[in-house]
Amino acid sequence: NVGRCICGDAGQRHPTVLVPASSGCAECTTQLCERTFEHCGAALRQGGALSVHCIDRSAAAPRLAIASFLVIVAFLALTALGRERFRCLRRIHDAICHR
């Protein structure tokens, strides 16, 4: 899983940390960010905000998003490659392409 540490109030880069997928997002804590990244600890000591956003890669939503993206890309590639050979693909290609 991927945890993104948001350290401080200023617009700066937000470092990411990898946590084991076996524990889900339980290990994505502010203490992990504070120990791992020095500027996160400094931001916390200076009174800034410190928060963590975790992306659970084993959840259904990210898997569905990636699978649907792959299906759409495959469909578009097949449509582009087969438009000259198959009439139905030519109609689809003409419908989705701008001229």
Side-chain angles (χ1 to χ4, degrees), residues 2 7 9 19 23 27 31 53 59 61-62 79 88 90 95:
V2 179
C7 310
D9 299 328
V19 295
S23 64
E27 293 186 26
Q31 290 81 18
H53 294 237
T79 302
C88 63
R90 180 66 174 171

Side-chain angles (χ1 to χ4, degrees), residues 1-3 17-29 32 35-36 54-59:
N1 296 333
V2 179
V17 62
L18 295 176
V19 295
S22 60
S23 64
C25 286
E27 293 186 26
C28 283
T29 62
L32 176 67
R35 285 191 318 261
T36 308
C54 184
I55 300 171
D56 187 0
R57 295 184 299 163
S58 63

Side-chain angles (χ1 to χ4, degrees), residues 18-88:
L18 295 176
V19 295
S22 60
S23 64
C25 286
E27 293 186 26
C28 283
T29 62
T30 55
Q31 290 81 18
L32 176 67
C33 292
E34 187 179 359
R35 285 191 318 261
T36 308
F37 304 108
E38 291 179 8
H39 69 279
C40 288
L44 189 62
R45 285 188 297 276
Q46 294 172 359
L50 175 59
S51 62
V52 181
H53 294 237
C54 184
I55 300 171
D56 187 0
R57 295 184 299 163
S58 63
R63 289 179 184 239
L64 179 64
I66 292 169
S68 63
F69 177 73
L70 292 175
V71 168
I72 290 170
V73 168
F75 172 74
L76 291 175
L78 290 174
T79 302
L81 294 174
R83 70 178 185 263
E84 300 297 328
R85 180 173 280 173
F86 302 105
R87 182 179 296 165
C88 63

Side-chain angles (χ1 to χ4, degrees), residues 6-15 39:
I6 300 173
C7 310
D9 299 328
Q12 58 186 353
R13 64 179 180 86
H14 303 299
H39 69 279

